[in-house]
Amino acid sequence: MDTRTGLPVVGMVGGGQLARMTHQAAIALGQSLRVLAVSPDDGAALVAADVRIGRHDDLAALREFAKGCDVVTFDHEHVPGDIIRALAAEGHTLLPGADALQYAQNKRAMREHLGSLGFPMPRWTAEDALAFADEVGWPVIVKTATGGYDGRGVFVAESPADIPEGVEVIAEELVPLRRELAAVVARSPLGQVAAYPVVETVQEAGICVEVLAPAPGLDEELAVRAQRLAIDIATRLGVVGVLAVELFETTDGRLLINELAMRPHNSAHWTIEGARTSQFEQHLRAVLDYPMGDTRLTAPAVVMVNVLGGEPGGMSIDERLHHLFAEEPGAKVHLYGKQVRPGRKIGHVTVLGDDMDDCRRRARRAARILEEGYEH
């Protein structure tokens, strides 16, 4: 406990935007969020008071970081499992634990384990990708087993020449896709679970660019099935904290598991303004074993659009904010304190309203002003 506040100290490994927004939620709860950042220029390190500098794969750094924390959690999945287990053996509480987190770290392990439990997934292989593609038909989706995110490590293989060599990969069939969905839940150590409305995620070049809450036109039975699927996964894997289950909705009405993330997730950033309890507060509640918060929407339609970095130069980000607020005063802006690089997520905007199409138009326009400058 923090002796100044009498409230728990949560440590978050990673200093990116997820830690930055978790810090925002921690302030309202009176908690002290300690951040392990690689650099003092990381997004969360720019705003948090208790920042330690160190790498996530350095046992000594994490051991020192964990001292005085009631619980340690993560803003990414890259902490090696043997380090998590070593710290747990020394008496530190790390959530989610290594036994659960391994299935968000390794796609092959995730596919094998979920398959053994009977969860629905695309047909896949980790063995002979060429023979598999000949069987199910080209093209196939090829993914590196570890390390991929935001479109990195994911390839559409049209021929054998497109399959990378020298890295462990899995190959998946190309499913008849209607759209992509995400079911986000949170689970506490005692097993209490809260589920958010199922959302539609829009991808471009493997990067999520837009999230629509709730997913437009989603059949109620299918939405409940998606939520139950996420709750079952969280329970069977023993996840503590936020779990995001990325799903394929196929043209023939099936739900297939695509990816898992055991941390706050891009598909639920909309919850900061769009839900009664944000995913960041919910994650803190979960790892501290507080009762879960209300997940209901605060408006009939919520749209979040990611802001991607463009080419350097031109109008400053401050000037763009002036124009954005003049043109779309209802848009809520979250900037991550990142250096701008083409295609990099530097923030997001959220718009709430009664009409989904109107919210999409306004949110897209707000994001475009931040990315490109004022539109005359």
Side-chain angles (χ1 to χ4, degrees):
M1 294 289 178
D2 188 322
T3 57
R4 299 166 298 176
T5 64
L7 290 165
V9 177
V10 177
M12 181 163 268
V13 178
Q17 66 261 30
L18 301 183
R20 184 181 176 106
M21 288 181 279
T22 303
H23 169 68
Q24 179 183 3
I27 292 171
L29 297 180
Q31 294 170 2
S32 304
L33 186 74
R34 178 180 297 173
V35 174
L36 182 68
V38 175
S39 163
D41 294 328
D42 287 351
L46 294 174
V47 296
D50 189 356
V51 179
R52 313 296 170 88
I53 303 300
R55 287 191 53 81
H56 63 271
D57 53 3
D58 182 339
L59 176 57
L62 266 76
R63 181 179 286 125
E64 185 62 30
F65 176 74
K67 290 179 181 178
C69 290
D70 292 87
V71 62
V72 174
T73 189
F74 314 98
D75 96 333
H76 58 68
E77 291 99 350
H78 304 311
V79 180
D82 57 349
I83 289 181
I84 298 174
R85 289 186 174 91
L87 292 174
E90 295 171 9
H92 299 289
T93 301
L94 298 96
L95 297 172
D99 289 346
L101 196 60
Q102 62 180 318
Y103 301 116
Q105 294 172 323
N106 187 297
K107 294 180 178 65
R108 176 175 183 169
M110 182 266 286
R111 288 274 186 258
E112 289 175 341
H113 190 58
L114 292 188
S116 73
L117 297 174
F119 288 104
M121 295 177 293
R123 288 179 292 174
W124 70 282
T125 188
E127 304 303 332
D128 189 338
L130 296 181
F132 174 79
D134 288 337
E135 176 186 349
V136 303
W138 298 86
V140 293
I141 304 299
V142 176
K143 301 177 180 179
T144 57
T146 60
Y149 66 97
D150 280 352
R152 299 174 179 87
V154 179
F155 314 91
V156 179
E158 303 277 356
S159 71
D162 296 328
I163 297 178
E165 297 180 355
V167 294
E168 183 183 12
V169 299
I170 65 170
E172 297 178 355
E173 66 173 329
L174 190 64
V175 300
L177 183 64
R178 181 187 175 203
R179 58 180 170 177
E180 295 192 46
L181 303 172
V184 176
V185 299
R187 180 177 178 273
S188 73
L190 285 180
Q192 185 189 11
V193 179
Y196 286 97
V198 178
V199 300
E200 179 178 346
T201 63
V202 180
Q203 320 289 322
E204 292 180 4
I207 299 175
C208 177
V209 296
E210 188 176 34
V211 177
L212 314 177
L218 182 62
D219 178 78
E220 183 177 354
E221 185 275 332
L222 203 62
V224 171
R225 197 194 317 166
Q227 290 175 317
R228 286 179 174 168
L229 191 64
I231 291 170
D232 287 347
I233 292 172
T235 302
R236 298 289 291 275
L237 300 189
V239 177
V240 174
V242 167
L243 169 71
V245 181
E246 298 180 44
L247 298 163
F248 296 133
E249 180 187 356
T250 66
T251 55
D252 56 359
R254 292 176 294 155
L255 289 176
L256 302 175
I257 297 165
N258 178 26
E259 305 282 356
L260 302 181
M262 298 178 191
R263 51 169 171 76
H265 191 254
N266 194 198
S267 63
H269 288 354
W270 63 271
T271 61
I272 297 174
E273 291 85 21
R276 296 180 186 272
T277 307
S278 80
Q279 67 161 337
F280 301 99
E281 178 181 333
Q282 201 80 286
H283 187 73
L284 289 169
R285 288 191 187 210
V287 299
L288 290 168
D289 211 7
Y290 290 169
M292 297 290 93
D294 189 342
T295 58
R296 287 177 296 171
L297 292 158
T298 59
V302 185
V303 176
M304 185 222 70
V305 176
N306 281 318
V307 178
L308 304 181
E311 295 297 332
M315 187 181 294
S316 72
I317 192 69
D318 181 58
E319 292 177 287
R320 296 179 189 195
L321 278 171
H322 277 76
H323 291 303
L324 183 158
F325 291 139
E327 295 297 319
E328 295 292 346
K332 303 298 291 186
V333 177
H334 295 264
L335 294 174
Y336 303 153
K338 289 183 173 181
Q339 294 297 311
V340 177
R341 292 200 304 264
R344 188 186 198 191
K345 292 177 185 173
I346 61 170
H348 73 266
V349 297
T350 304
V351 170
L352 287 69
D354 296 320
D355 180 80
M356 184 67 75
D357 289 338
D358 180 62
C359 288
R360 292 185 80 175
R361 178 189 61 77
R362 291 165 54 206
R364 287 174 176 176
R365 187 176 190 217
R368 192 163 55 247
I369 292 172
L370 283 179
E371 291 173 350
E372 302 172 4
Y374 179 64
E375 295 180 319
H376 292 283

